[in-house]
Amino acid sequence: MSNMGLSSITNLKVRFQECDPMQIVWHGNYFKYFEEGREDFCKNNSISYLHAQQHGFATPIVKTECEHKLPLQYGDEFEVETTFINSEAAKMIFHYKIFSSKKLICTGSTTQVFTDKNSELVLTNPPFFLDWKKKMGLVK
């Protein structure tokens, strides 16, 4: 675990359908890459959408950010570094860095909150999430 949080790496490859006519990745697809990294991280840590749903919660995204540095092109192999940022609030914050050939392609972040079965905002950490944070040494 770094000072910022827990991280994972997801390896991906640019597919033809993700590119514009110049064979450069369309900007909106970077959020899909972030989601692939987040899904991978959350699945491996038992805090995925399905885990939340099994415990009676949803985790909608309420904020997204993406800053582009260099373009990805059709056929490029790249990695998404996904970092969970710990917060006392009942939310999940992830920071992302995408690298290709050791060059920083883009950075970004997403913030998710918890809602209950009635789509009402939950202001305290759900028990399953709090248990995970304790297991990971993120809370006492």
Side-chain angles (χ1 to χ4, degrees):
M1 181 169 69
S2 71
N3 288 342
M4 285 187 65
L6 306 170
S7 295
S8 68
I9 300 291
T10 303
N11 293 298
L12 300 169
K13 186 175 182 176
V14 176
R15 297 175 295 179
F16 180 76
Q17 76 251 26
E18 298 165 344
C19 298
D20 65 17
M22 297 178 293
Q23 295 188 345
I24 294 173
V25 170
W26 177 68
H27 67 277
N29 283 321
Y30 289 89
F31 289 108
K32 292 180 182 179
Y33 302 152
F34 294 167
E35 184 172 19
E36 295 239 11
R38 184 175 66 252
E39 283 270 318
D40 195 32
F41 178 94
C42 290
K43 183 181 72 170
N44 291 331
N45 281 279
S46 299
I47 56 169
S48 71
Y49 291 115
L50 291 175
H51 289 100
Q53 190 177 40
Q54 290 168 355
H55 289 91
F57 297 93
T59 55
I61 290 181
V62 295
K63 183 178 180 183
T64 59
E65 295 178 329
C66 184
E67 185 174 338
H68 303 274
K69 311 286 187 186
L70 295 169
L72 285 173
Q73 297 180 328
Y74 174 59
D76 283 352
E77 294 182 5
F78 63 97
E79 62 183 36
V80 180
E81 178 184 303
T82 303
T83 303
F84 174 83
I85 306 302
N86 194 24
S87 169
E88 290 183 22
K91 59 181 155 183
M92 294 192 289
I93 302 168
F94 292 95
H95 286 184
Y96 309 92
K97 291 181 184 175
I98 294 180
F99 294 95
S100 181
S101 301
K102 299 186 181 183
K103 292 180 183 172
L104 182 61
I105 302 300
C106 77
T107 60
S109 67
T110 57
T111 302
Q112 294 167 264
V113 295
F114 294 95
T115 58
D116 64 17
K117 292 176 185 175
N118 299 318
S119 298
E120 296 289 330
L121 182 64
V122 176
L123 298 177
T124 58
N125 283 301
F128 84 96
F129 187 59
L130 192 56
D131 288 346
W132 174 78
K133 288 175 78 167
K134 286 177 183 173
K135 177 180 146 190
M136 303 310 288
L138 300 173
V139 294
K140 294 180 181 182

